[in-house]
Amino acid sequence: METIGMKVIAHVRNDFPTKFGLPRQSGLAKDLQSVIVFEPEYRAAEALRGLEGFSHLWLVWAFHQAQRDTWSPTVRPPRLGGNTRMGVFATRSPYRPNPIGLTCVTLQEIRTTPHEGTVLIVSGADMMDGTPILDIKPYLPYADSYPEARGGFAKEVEGHCLTVDCHPALLNRVEEEKRPALLEALRQDPRPAYQHDPERVYGFPYGRWEVRFTVREDTLTVTDVQEGKVNP
């Protein structure tokens, strides 16, 4: 079997150390900020020359926690309830022959730091903290945008959001600048699509916080926000 080598050029840094709680697609949590930190070999400022002129970027990355030695031609997309099988190449499942992801993000800032060289501040990513980046390419509106494109079976679940009920005393425990991204992530319904138990308490780590919640019908209620870590 023919193979090619890939180099990790950077890593993502953000407040989601696990995939549970992450938005399932890019752009759904527009306030979620991430920092792209380059590996020392690729911290050449001239490699980013001209990037400041673009508003959006494509990130090519690896599902580093979803690598397998085998692959299946069909997978169960979570948003279809976890019971319906679709062809792997008709989905964005991490379980594919090559565990590669593709994400479009908004470029917020190109920042020079004293210890990590030039970093990229981006928003709207759907990648967890520590995700390895394989390549970065500019988004070209004239070539990359197709407003008339069809969404296939994914159109069936487009726009599904919950109403979030979070007492101000709980929300105020989270740093003010991190609250909008947390609320956006919660609205996207972090639960697996096949779990509907209204009594079950779910949880995920967000930055230094542990966020717990329940879901009844279309309302997500935050039950606790404490410092620490949780296994979803």
Side-chain angles (χ1 to χ4, degrees):
M1 181 181 299
E2 183 179 6
T3 61
I4 58 174
M6 304 287 281
K7 296 180 179 179
V8 174
I9 66 167
H11 286 86
V12 172
R13 183 183 299 159
N14 62 28
D15 289 312
F16 282 96
T18 69
K19 66 178 182 179
F20 193 85
L22 266 178
R24 288 184 171 87
Q25 301 294 340
S26 59
L28 297 181
K30 299 182 186 301
D31 287 316
L32 174 57
Q33 284 204 344
S34 299
V35 182
I36 308 300
V37 181
F38 289 90
E39 290 296 290
E41 181 181 354
Y42 302 102
R43 291 178 185 173
E46 57 266 32
L48 302 176
R49 186 181 302 153
L51 198 66
E52 69 281 355
F54 296 92
S55 64
H56 293 73
L57 306 174
W58 289 111
L59 303 180
V60 182
W61 49 281
F63 289 99
H64 61 301
Q65 293 193 357
Q67 300 191 38
R68 297 180 174 181
D69 293 330
T70 60
W71 74 287
S72 171
T74 61
V75 295
R76 296 186 176 95
R79 279 302 191 202
L80 294 184
N83 296 316
T84 303
R85 283 196 169 273
M86 293 290 178
V88 64
F89 299 129
T91 75
R92 297 190 177 188
S93 168
Y95 304 110
R96 25 195 349 106
N98 292 305
I100 295 175
L102 180 66
T103 288
C104 184
V105 296
T106 301
L107 177 60
Q108 300 286 356
E109 181 184 355
I110 301 175
R111 181 183 300 169
T112 300
T113 69
H115 303 297
E116 296 174 326
T118 304
V119 302
L120 305 181
I121 312 299
V122 302
S123 61
D126 55 351
M127 300 172 289
M128 60 188 291
D129 184 67
T131 295
I133 303 294
L134 304 176
D135 201 6
I136 298 172
K137 300 177 185 293
Y139 176 94
L140 304 179
Y142 77 90
D144 295 343
S145 178
Y146 294 88
E148 73 283 4
R150 291 180 294 152
F153 67 85
K155 189 71 176 178
E156 301 173 16
V157 295
E158 181 181 351
H160 170 73
C161 289
L162 299 175
T163 298
V164 177
D165 180 9
C166 182
H167 193 282
L170 293 177
L171 185 60
N172 289 342
R173 294 177 184 176
V174 179
E175 297 89 334
E176 184 175 2
E177 69 276 10
K178 297 179 182 293
R179 295 171 197 166
L182 173 61
L183 293 175
E184 286 181 333
L186 292 170
R187 288 189 193 103
Q188 299 302 320
D189 192 354
R191 301 172 302 163
Y194 54 84
Q195 293 184 357
H196 301 284
D197 182 359
E199 304 302 323
R200 176 166 179 174
V201 178
Y202 302 87
F204 62 85
Y206 178 69
R208 63 189 180 94
W209 301 100
E210 174 184 304
V211 181
R212 292 187 178 273
F213 63 92
T214 60
V215 179
R216 183 179 295 274
E217 296 181 349
D218 289 329
T219 298
L220 181 151
T221 301
V222 177
T223 60
D224 200 8
V225 176
Q226 292 191 4
E227 287 192 78
K229 294 183 178 181
V230 62
N231 292 321

